[in-house]
Short mmCIF file of all heavy atoms in Angstrom, two decimals:
data_model
loop_
_atom_site.label_atom_id
_atom_site.label_comp_id
_atom_site.label_asym_id
_atom_site.label_seq_id
_atom_site.Cartn_x
_atom_site.Cartn_y
_atom_site.Cartn_z
N MET D 1041 -28.61 -165.09 -21.47
CA MET D 1041 -28.18 -166.39 -20.86
C MET D 1041 -28.60 -166.46 -19.40
O MET D 1041 -28.21 -165.61 -18.62
CB MET D 1041 -26.66 -166.51 -20.98
CG MET D 1041 -26.24 -167.08 -22.30
SD MET D 1041 -24.71 -167.94 -22.17
CE MET D 1041 -23.61 -166.55 -21.84
N LYS D 1042 -29.33 -167.47 -19.10
CA LYS D 1042 -29.78 -167.63 -17.71
C LYS D 1042 -29.07 -168.83 -17.08
O LYS D 1042 -28.93 -169.87 -17.71
CB LYS D 1042 -31.28 -167.87 -17.69
CG LYS D 1042 -32.08 -166.64 -17.40
CD LYS D 1042 -33.54 -167.02 -17.22
CE LYS D 1042 -34.39 -165.78 -16.95
NZ LYS D 1042 -35.80 -166.15 -16.82
N MET D 1043 -28.75 -168.63 -15.82
CA MET D 1043 -28.22 -169.77 -15.06
C MET D 1043 -29.40 -170.59 -14.56
O MET D 1043 -30.28 -170.06 -13.91
CB MET D 1043 -27.39 -169.29 -13.86
CG MET D 1043 -26.11 -168.64 -14.28
SD MET D 1043 -24.91 -169.81 -14.90
CE MET D 1043 -24.30 -170.50 -13.37
N ARG D 1044 -29.38 -171.82 -14.87
CA ARG D 1044 -30.50 -172.64 -14.44
C ARG D 1044 -30.07 -173.55 -13.30
O ARG D 1044 -29.01 -174.15 -13.34
CB ARG D 1044 -30.99 -173.50 -15.59
CG ARG D 1044 -32.33 -174.12 -15.30
CD ARG D 1044 -32.83 -174.91 -16.51
NE ARG D 1044 -34.03 -175.65 -16.14
CZ ARG D 1044 -35.25 -175.17 -16.20
NH1 ARG D 1044 -35.46 -173.94 -16.62
NH2 ARG D 1044 -36.28 -175.90 -15.86
N LYS D 1045 -30.91 -173.56 -12.30
CA LYS D 1045 -30.60 -174.42 -11.15
C LYS D 1045 -30.58 -175.88 -11.56
O LYS D 1045 -31.38 -176.33 -12.36
CB LYS D 1045 -31.65 -174.21 -10.06
CG LYS D 1045 -31.37 -173.01 -9.22
CD LYS D 1045 -32.38 -173.00 -8.06
CE LYS D 1045 -32.39 -171.63 -7.40
NZ LYS D 1045 -33.52 -171.54 -6.49
N LYS D 1046 -29.66 -176.56 -10.93
CA LYS D 1046 -29.58 -177.98 -11.22
C LYS D 1046 -30.71 -178.75 -10.55
O LYS D 1046 -31.35 -179.57 -11.16
CB LYS D 1046 -28.24 -178.50 -10.71
CG LYS D 1046 -27.75 -179.70 -11.55
CD LYS D 1046 -26.33 -180.04 -11.14
CE LYS D 1046 -25.72 -181.05 -12.10
NZ LYS D 1046 -24.36 -181.42 -11.70
N ALA D 1047 -30.93 -178.39 -9.29
CA ALA D 1047 -32.02 -179.05 -8.57
C ALA D 1047 -33.32 -178.32 -8.85
O ALA D 1047 -33.63 -177.32 -8.23
CB ALA D 1047 -31.73 -179.06 -7.09
N ASP D 1048 -34.00 -178.79 -9.80
CA ASP D 1048 -35.20 -178.10 -10.24
C ASP D 1048 -36.46 -178.69 -9.66
O ASP D 1048 -37.54 -178.25 -9.95
CB ASP D 1048 -35.27 -178.19 -11.77
CG ASP D 1048 -35.76 -176.87 -12.35
OD1 ASP D 1048 -35.87 -175.91 -11.58
OD2 ASP D 1048 -36.07 -176.83 -13.53
N PHE D 1049 -36.31 -179.67 -8.82
CA PHE D 1049 -37.49 -180.35 -8.27
C PHE D 1049 -38.07 -179.55 -7.11
O PHE D 1049 -37.33 -178.92 -6.34
CB PHE D 1049 -37.12 -181.73 -7.80
CG PHE D 1049 -36.68 -182.64 -8.90
CD1 PHE D 1049 -35.45 -183.22 -8.89
CD2 PHE D 1049 -37.56 -182.90 -9.97
CE1 PHE D 1049 -35.04 -184.07 -9.93
CE2 PHE D 1049 -37.17 -183.73 -10.99
CZ PHE D 1049 -35.91 -184.32 -10.99
N PRO D 1050 -39.35 -179.61 -6.97
CA PRO D 1050 -40.01 -178.95 -5.83
C PRO D 1050 -39.63 -179.63 -4.52
O PRO D 1050 -39.23 -180.81 -4.50
CB PRO D 1050 -41.48 -179.09 -6.13
CG PRO D 1050 -41.61 -180.19 -7.10
CD PRO D 1050 -40.31 -180.26 -7.85
N GLN D 1051 -39.81 -178.92 -3.45
CA GLN D 1051 -39.51 -179.48 -2.13
C GLN D 1051 -40.68 -179.29 -1.20
O GLN D 1051 -41.50 -178.40 -1.35
CB GLN D 1051 -38.28 -178.79 -1.54
CG GLN D 1051 -36.99 -179.23 -2.18
CD GLN D 1051 -35.82 -179.00 -1.25
OE1 GLN D 1051 -35.88 -178.20 -0.33
NE2 GLN D 1051 -34.74 -179.72 -1.47
N LYS D 1052 -40.71 -180.13 -0.18
CA LYS D 1052 -41.71 -180.01 0.88
C LYS D 1052 -41.04 -180.30 2.21
O LYS D 1052 -39.99 -180.89 2.27
CB LYS D 1052 -42.83 -180.99 0.65
CG LYS D 1052 -43.78 -180.60 -0.47
CD LYS D 1052 -44.97 -181.51 -0.49
CE LYS D 1052 -45.97 -181.05 -1.54
NZ LYS D 1052 -47.19 -181.87 -1.53
N ILE D 1053 -41.74 -179.92 3.26
CA ILE D 1053 -41.27 -180.24 4.62
C ILE D 1053 -42.09 -181.39 5.13
O ILE D 1053 -43.32 -181.34 5.14
CB ILE D 1053 -41.42 -179.03 5.57
CG1 ILE D 1053 -40.75 -177.80 5.00
CG2 ILE D 1053 -40.89 -179.38 6.94
CD1 ILE D 1053 -39.25 -177.90 4.96
N CYS D 1054 -41.41 -182.42 5.59
CA CYS D 1054 -42.12 -183.57 6.10
C CYS D 1054 -42.90 -183.20 7.36
O CYS D 1054 -42.38 -182.56 8.26
CB CYS D 1054 -41.11 -184.67 6.42
SG CYS D 1054 -41.85 -186.09 7.24
N LEU D 1055 -44.15 -183.62 7.40
CA LEU D 1055 -44.99 -183.28 8.55
C LEU D 1055 -44.51 -183.96 9.82
O LEU D 1055 -44.81 -183.51 10.93
CB LEU D 1055 -46.44 -183.72 8.29
CG LEU D 1055 -47.34 -182.72 7.56
CD1 LEU D 1055 -48.76 -183.21 7.63
CD2 LEU D 1055 -47.23 -181.33 8.20
N HIS D 1056 -43.83 -185.04 9.67
CA HIS D 1056 -43.43 -185.79 10.85
C HIS D 1056 -42.05 -185.38 11.38
O HIS D 1056 -41.93 -184.99 12.52
CB HIS D 1056 -43.44 -187.28 10.56
CG HIS D 1056 -43.11 -188.11 11.76
ND1 HIS D 1056 -44.01 -188.29 12.80
CD2 HIS D 1056 -41.99 -188.76 12.10
CE1 HIS D 1056 -43.44 -189.04 13.72
NE2 HIS D 1056 -42.21 -189.35 13.35
N CYS D 1057 -41.05 -185.44 10.52
CA CYS D 1057 -39.69 -185.17 10.99
C CYS D 1057 -39.26 -183.73 10.70
O CYS D 1057 -38.18 -183.31 11.10
CB CYS D 1057 -38.71 -186.17 10.38
SG CYS D 1057 -38.57 -186.05 8.60
N GLN D 1058 -40.11 -182.97 10.03
CA GLN D 1058 -39.85 -181.55 9.77
C GLN D 1058 -38.63 -181.32 8.90
O GLN D 1058 -38.05 -180.25 8.89
CB GLN D 1058 -39.66 -180.80 11.10
CG GLN D 1058 -40.84 -180.97 12.05
CD GLN D 1058 -42.06 -180.23 11.57
OE1 GLN D 1058 -42.06 -179.05 11.34
NE2 GLN D 1058 -43.15 -180.96 11.39
N LYS D 1059 -38.24 -182.33 8.18
CA LYS D 1059 -37.09 -182.16 7.28
C LYS D 1059 -37.57 -181.97 5.86
O LYS D 1059 -38.56 -182.57 5.45
CB LYS D 1059 -36.19 -183.40 7.34
CG LYS D 1059 -35.43 -183.51 8.64
CD LYS D 1059 -34.61 -184.78 8.62
CE LYS D 1059 -33.96 -185.00 9.99
NZ LYS D 1059 -33.38 -186.34 10.11
N PRO D 1060 -36.82 -181.16 5.13
CA PRO D 1060 -37.19 -180.94 3.72
C PRO D 1060 -36.87 -182.20 2.89
O PRO D 1060 -35.85 -182.86 3.11
CB PRO D 1060 -36.31 -179.77 3.28
CG PRO D 1060 -35.19 -179.72 4.25
CD PRO D 1060 -35.67 -180.37 5.53
N PHE D 1061 -37.74 -182.48 1.96
CA PHE D 1061 -37.48 -183.58 1.06
C PHE D 1061 -37.88 -183.17 -0.35
O PHE D 1061 -38.69 -182.27 -0.54
CB PHE D 1061 -38.22 -184.85 1.48
CG PHE D 1061 -39.71 -184.70 1.53
CD1 PHE D 1061 -40.48 -185.13 0.47
CD2 PHE D 1061 -40.33 -184.17 2.65
CE1 PHE D 1061 -41.88 -185.03 0.53
CE2 PHE D 1061 -41.72 -184.04 2.69
CZ PHE D 1061 -42.48 -184.49 1.66
N SER D 1062 -37.27 -183.81 -1.30
CA SER D 1062 -37.48 -183.41 -2.68
C SER D 1062 -38.41 -184.35 -3.43
O SER D 1062 -38.60 -185.50 -3.04
CB SER D 1062 -36.13 -183.37 -3.41
OG SER D 1062 -35.29 -182.45 -2.77
N TRP D 1063 -38.91 -183.81 -4.47
CA TRP D 1063 -39.78 -184.58 -5.36
C TRP D 1063 -39.09 -185.87 -5.80
O TRP D 1063 -37.90 -185.86 -6.08
CB TRP D 1063 -40.07 -183.69 -6.57
CG TRP D 1063 -41.04 -184.27 -7.56
CD1 TRP D 1063 -42.38 -184.08 -7.56
CD2 TRP D 1063 -40.73 -185.10 -8.66
NE1 TRP D 1063 -42.94 -184.74 -8.62
CE2 TRP D 1063 -41.95 -185.38 -9.32
CE3 TRP D 1063 -39.57 -185.64 -9.18
CZ2 TRP D 1063 -42.02 -186.18 -10.46
CZ3 TRP D 1063 -39.62 -186.43 -10.32
CH2 TRP D 1063 -40.85 -186.69 -10.94
N ARG D 1064 -39.88 -186.90 -5.85
CA ARG D 1064 -39.35 -188.16 -6.38
C ARG D 1064 -40.29 -188.72 -7.43
O ARG D 1064 -41.49 -188.43 -7.42
CB ARG D 1064 -39.23 -189.18 -5.25
CG ARG D 1064 -38.07 -188.84 -4.33
CD ARG D 1064 -37.90 -189.92 -3.30
NE ARG D 1064 -37.28 -189.37 -2.10
CZ ARG D 1064 -37.25 -190.01 -0.95
NH1 ARG D 1064 -37.83 -191.19 -0.84
NH2 ARG D 1064 -36.67 -189.47 0.10
N LYS D 1065 -39.69 -189.46 -8.28
CA LYS D 1065 -40.45 -189.95 -9.43
C LYS D 1065 -41.65 -190.80 -8.99
O LYS D 1065 -42.71 -190.76 -9.61
CB LYS D 1065 -39.53 -190.78 -10.31
CG LYS D 1065 -40.12 -190.94 -11.71
CD LYS D 1065 -39.07 -191.56 -12.63
CE LYS D 1065 -39.59 -191.54 -14.06
NZ LYS D 1065 -38.62 -192.12 -14.99
N LYS D 1066 -41.47 -191.52 -7.90
CA LYS D 1066 -42.56 -192.37 -7.46
C LYS D 1066 -43.77 -191.57 -6.99
O LYS D 1066 -44.86 -192.09 -6.85
CB LYS D 1066 -42.09 -193.32 -6.36
CG LYS D 1066 -41.72 -192.62 -5.06
CD LYS D 1066 -41.45 -193.65 -3.97
CE LYS D 1066 -41.12 -192.96 -2.65
NZ LYS D 1066 -40.95 -193.93 -1.57
N TRP D 1067 -43.54 -190.27 -6.72
CA TRP D 1067 -44.63 -189.40 -6.30
C TRP D 1067 -45.18 -188.57 -7.45
O TRP D 1067 -45.97 -187.66 -7.22
CB TRP D 1067 -44.14 -188.48 -5.20
CG TRP D 1067 -43.80 -189.17 -3.94
CD1 TRP D 1067 -44.42 -190.28 -3.41
CD2 TRP D 1067 -42.78 -188.82 -2.98
NE1 TRP D 1067 -43.84 -190.63 -2.22
CE2 TRP D 1067 -42.83 -189.75 -1.94
CE3 TRP D 1067 -41.84 -187.79 -2.95
CZ2 TRP D 1067 -41.94 -189.68 -0.86
CZ3 TRP D 1067 -40.97 -187.72 -1.88
CH2 TRP D 1067 -41.02 -188.67 -0.83
N ALA D 1068 -44.71 -188.84 -8.63
CA ALA D 1068 -45.09 -188.01 -9.77
C ALA D 1068 -46.59 -187.85 -9.88
O ALA D 1068 -47.10 -186.79 -10.22
CB ALA D 1068 -44.51 -188.62 -11.04
N ARG D 1069 -47.32 -188.90 -9.55
CA ARG D 1069 -48.76 -188.87 -9.75
C ARG D 1069 -49.52 -188.16 -8.66
O ARG D 1069 -50.58 -187.60 -8.88
CB ARG D 1069 -49.29 -190.28 -9.90
CG ARG D 1069 -48.95 -190.86 -11.26
CD ARG D 1069 -49.32 -192.31 -11.37
NE ARG D 1069 -50.75 -192.51 -11.16
CZ ARG D 1069 -51.35 -193.70 -11.14
NH1 ARG D 1069 -50.64 -194.78 -11.33
NH2 ARG D 1069 -52.62 -193.82 -10.93
N ASP D 1070 -48.96 -188.20 -7.43
CA ASP D 1070 -49.71 -187.54 -6.35
C ASP D 1070 -48.83 -186.71 -5.45
O ASP D 1070 -48.93 -186.73 -4.25
CB ASP D 1070 -50.50 -188.58 -5.54
CG ASP D 1070 -49.63 -189.72 -5.09
OD1 ASP D 1070 -48.40 -189.64 -5.26
OD2 ASP D 1070 -50.17 -190.68 -4.55
N TRP D 1071 -47.95 -185.98 -6.08
CA TRP D 1071 -47.06 -185.09 -5.30
C TRP D 1071 -47.87 -184.11 -4.45
O TRP D 1071 -47.47 -183.76 -3.35
CB TRP D 1071 -46.14 -184.36 -6.28
CG TRP D 1071 -45.33 -183.29 -5.65
CD1 TRP D 1071 -45.42 -181.94 -5.88
CD2 TRP D 1071 -44.27 -183.44 -4.68
NE1 TRP D 1071 -44.50 -181.28 -5.10
CE2 TRP D 1071 -43.80 -182.16 -4.36
CE3 TRP D 1071 -43.71 -184.56 -4.05
CZ2 TRP D 1071 -42.76 -181.98 -3.45
CZ3 TRP D 1071 -42.69 -184.37 -3.14
CH2 TRP D 1071 -42.23 -183.09 -2.83
N GLU D 1072 -48.98 -183.67 -4.97
CA GLU D 1072 -49.83 -182.73 -4.24
C GLU D 1072 -50.24 -183.29 -2.89
O GLU D 1072 -50.40 -182.56 -1.92
CB GLU D 1072 -51.09 -182.42 -5.05
CG GLU D 1072 -50.82 -181.57 -6.29
CD GLU D 1072 -50.39 -180.16 -5.93
OE1 GLU D 1072 -51.00 -179.58 -5.03
OE2 GLU D 1072 -49.44 -179.65 -6.53
N ALA D 1073 -50.41 -184.60 -2.83
CA ALA D 1073 -50.95 -185.20 -1.64
C ALA D 1073 -49.84 -185.70 -0.70
O ALA D 1073 -50.14 -186.11 0.42
CB ALA D 1073 -51.85 -186.38 -2.02
N VAL D 1074 -48.62 -185.63 -1.15
CA VAL D 1074 -47.54 -186.15 -0.34
C VAL D 1074 -47.28 -185.22 0.86
O VAL D 1074 -47.19 -184.01 0.69
CB VAL D 1074 -46.26 -186.28 -1.18
CG1 VAL D 1074 -45.07 -186.68 -0.28
CG2 VAL D 1074 -46.44 -187.33 -2.27
N ARG D 1075 -47.20 -185.81 2.04
CA ARG D 1075 -46.99 -184.99 3.24
C ARG D 1075 -45.75 -185.44 4.02
O ARG D 1075 -45.25 -184.71 4.87
CB ARG D 1075 -48.20 -185.11 4.18
CG ARG D 1075 -49.49 -184.56 3.60
CD ARG D 1075 -49.52 -183.06 3.64
NE ARG D 1075 -50.79 -182.54 3.17
CZ ARG D 1075 -51.02 -182.27 1.89
NH1 ARG D 1075 -50.09 -182.48 0.99
NH2 ARG D 1075 -52.18 -181.79 1.50
N TYR D 1076 -45.30 -186.63 3.72
CA TYR D 1076 -44.19 -187.18 4.49
C TYR D 1076 -43.06 -187.60 3.60
O TYR D 1076 -43.26 -187.98 2.43
CB TYR D 1076 -44.67 -188.37 5.31
CG TYR D 1076 -45.84 -188.04 6.22
CD1 TYR D 1076 -47.15 -188.25 5.82
CD2 TYR D 1076 -45.60 -187.49 7.48
CE1 TYR D 1076 -48.21 -187.92 6.63
CE2 TYR D 1076 -46.66 -187.16 8.31
CZ TYR D 1076 -47.96 -187.39 7.90
OH TYR D 1076 -48.99 -187.05 8.73
N CYS D 1077 -41.85 -187.58 4.15
CA CYS D 1077 -40.67 -187.85 3.34
C CYS D 1077 -40.52 -189.34 3.07
O CYS D 1077 -39.84 -189.73 2.13
CB CYS D 1077 -39.44 -187.32 4.05
SG CYS D 1077 -39.04 -188.17 5.57
N SER D 1078 -41.13 -190.15 3.89
CA SER D 1078 -40.90 -191.58 3.72
C SER D 1078 -42.08 -192.38 4.26
O SER D 1078 -42.94 -191.84 4.98
CB SER D 1078 -39.63 -192.01 4.45
OG SER D 1078 -39.80 -191.79 5.83
N GLU D 1079 -42.09 -193.62 3.92
CA GLU D 1079 -43.14 -194.50 4.41
C GLU D 1079 -43.10 -194.59 5.92
O GLU D 1079 -44.12 -194.64 6.60
CB GLU D 1079 -42.95 -195.90 3.79
CG GLU D 1079 -44.14 -196.78 3.94
CD GLU D 1079 -45.32 -196.25 3.13
OE1 GLU D 1079 -45.13 -195.66 2.05
OE2 GLU D 1079 -46.45 -196.46 3.59
N ARG D 1080 -41.90 -194.56 6.44
CA ARG D 1080 -41.74 -194.66 7.90
C ARG D 1080 -42.40 -193.45 8.59
O ARG D 1080 -43.12 -193.61 9.59
CB ARG D 1080 -40.25 -194.69 8.23
CG ARG D 1080 -40.00 -194.62 9.72
CD ARG D 1080 -38.53 -194.74 10.01
NE ARG D 1080 -38.16 -196.15 10.19
CZ ARG D 1080 -36.98 -196.55 10.64
NH1 ARG D 1080 -36.05 -195.69 10.90
NH2 ARG D 1080 -36.73 -197.81 10.79
N CYS D 1081 -42.16 -192.29 8.07
CA CYS D 1081 -42.79 -191.10 8.66
C CYS D 1081 -44.29 -191.13 8.45
O CYS D 1081 -45.04 -190.68 9.31
CB CYS D 1081 -42.19 -189.84 8.03
SG CYS D 1081 -40.60 -189.36 8.72
N ARG D 1082 -44.70 -191.64 7.34
CA ARG D 1082 -46.13 -191.63 7.03
C ARG D 1082 -46.89 -192.51 8.02
O ARG D 1082 -48.01 -192.20 8.40
CB ARG D 1082 -46.35 -192.16 5.62
CG ARG D 1082 -47.70 -191.76 5.05
CD ARG D 1082 -47.69 -191.93 3.54
NE ARG D 1082 -47.68 -193.33 3.17
CZ ARG D 1082 -48.78 -194.04 3.00
NH1 ARG D 1082 -49.95 -193.47 3.15
NH2 ARG D 1082 -48.72 -195.29 2.65
N SER D 1083 -46.27 -193.60 8.42
CA SER D 1083 -46.98 -194.52 9.29
C SER D 1083 -46.65 -194.29 10.76
O SER D 1083 -47.20 -194.97 11.64
CB SER D 1083 -46.64 -195.96 8.90
OG SER D 1083 -45.25 -196.16 8.98
N ALA D 1084 -45.76 -193.34 11.02
CA ALA D 1084 -45.42 -193.07 12.41
C ALA D 1084 -46.56 -192.35 13.10
O ALA D 1084 -47.36 -191.67 12.47
CB ALA D 1084 -44.17 -192.21 12.45
N PRO D 1085 -46.63 -192.50 14.41
CA PRO D 1085 -47.67 -191.79 15.16
C PRO D 1085 -47.50 -190.30 15.02
O PRO D 1085 -46.38 -189.79 14.96
CB PRO D 1085 -47.42 -192.21 16.61
CG PRO D 1085 -46.51 -193.37 16.56
CD PRO D 1085 -45.79 -193.31 15.24
N LYS D 1086 -48.59 -189.58 14.98
CA LYS D 1086 -48.53 -188.14 14.81
C LYS D 1086 -47.94 -187.46 16.04
O LYS D 1086 -48.22 -187.84 17.17
CB LYS D 1086 -49.93 -187.57 14.55
CG LYS D 1086 -50.36 -187.78 13.13
CD LYS D 1086 -51.73 -187.14 12.94
CE LYS D 1086 -52.27 -187.48 11.56
NZ LYS D 1086 -53.66 -187.04 11.44
N LEU D 1087 -47.20 -186.41 15.75
CA LEU D 1087 -46.65 -185.62 16.85
C LEU D 1087 -47.64 -184.50 17.17
O LEU D 1087 -47.53 -183.38 16.70
CB LEU D 1087 -45.32 -185.00 16.43
CG LEU D 1087 -44.20 -186.02 16.17
CD1 LEU D 1087 -42.97 -185.30 15.65
CD2 LEU D 1087 -43.84 -186.77 17.43
N THR D 1088 -48.61 -184.83 17.95
CA THR D 1088 -49.62 -183.81 18.30
C THR D 1088 -49.63 -183.61 19.79
O THR D 1088 -48.88 -184.21 20.54
CB THR D 1088 -51.00 -184.25 17.84
OG1 THR D 1088 -51.37 -185.44 18.52
CG2 THR D 1088 -51.01 -184.53 16.36
N SER D 1089 -50.55 -182.77 20.23
CA SER D 1089 -50.65 -182.50 21.66
C SER D 1089 -51.52 -183.52 22.36
O SER D 1089 -51.96 -183.33 23.49
CB SER D 1089 -51.20 -181.09 21.89
OG SER D 1089 -52.42 -180.96 21.17
N ALA D 1090 -51.80 -184.59 21.69
CA ALA D 1090 -52.66 -185.62 22.27
C ALA D 1090 -52.07 -186.19 23.54
O ALA D 1090 -52.78 -186.72 24.39
CB ALA D 1090 -52.89 -186.72 21.25
N ALA D 1091 -50.75 -186.08 23.67
CA ALA D 1091 -50.09 -186.62 24.81
C ALA D 1091 -50.40 -185.84 26.10
O ALA D 1091 -50.09 -186.27 27.20
CB ALA D 1091 -48.57 -186.65 24.58
N GLU D 1092 -51.01 -184.70 25.92
CA GLU D 1092 -51.30 -183.87 27.07
C GLU D 1092 -52.43 -184.42 27.95
O GLU D 1092 -52.61 -184.00 29.08
CB GLU D 1092 -51.70 -182.46 26.61
CG GLU D 1092 -50.50 -181.63 26.21
CD GLU D 1092 -50.95 -180.28 25.68
OE1 GLU D 1092 -52.12 -179.95 25.86
OE2 GLU D 1092 -50.11 -179.58 25.10
N GLU D 1093 -53.17 -185.29 27.38
CA GLU D 1093 -54.36 -185.78 28.09
C GLU D 1093 -54.11 -186.30 29.48
O GLU D 1093 -53.16 -187.00 29.73
CB GLU D 1093 -54.98 -186.89 27.26
CG GLU D 1093 -56.51 -186.78 27.35
CD GLU D 1093 -57.14 -187.83 26.42
OE1 GLU D 1093 -56.45 -188.83 26.13
OE2 GLU D 1093 -58.26 -187.61 26.00
ZN1 ZN B 416 -40.03 -187.46 7.52
#
């Protein structure tokens, strides 16, 4: 008998807000390509060192 985790979905860390987010059905087709937790993060300006200029 094995205990099976309830949350069986994969997780990723959002590139923008650095928060973990879980698989969602709407990403079923391109989960591999998902980098951000939400549309807002996806369209937000990147947090890079570009500001150093
Ligand atoms: Zn995010």
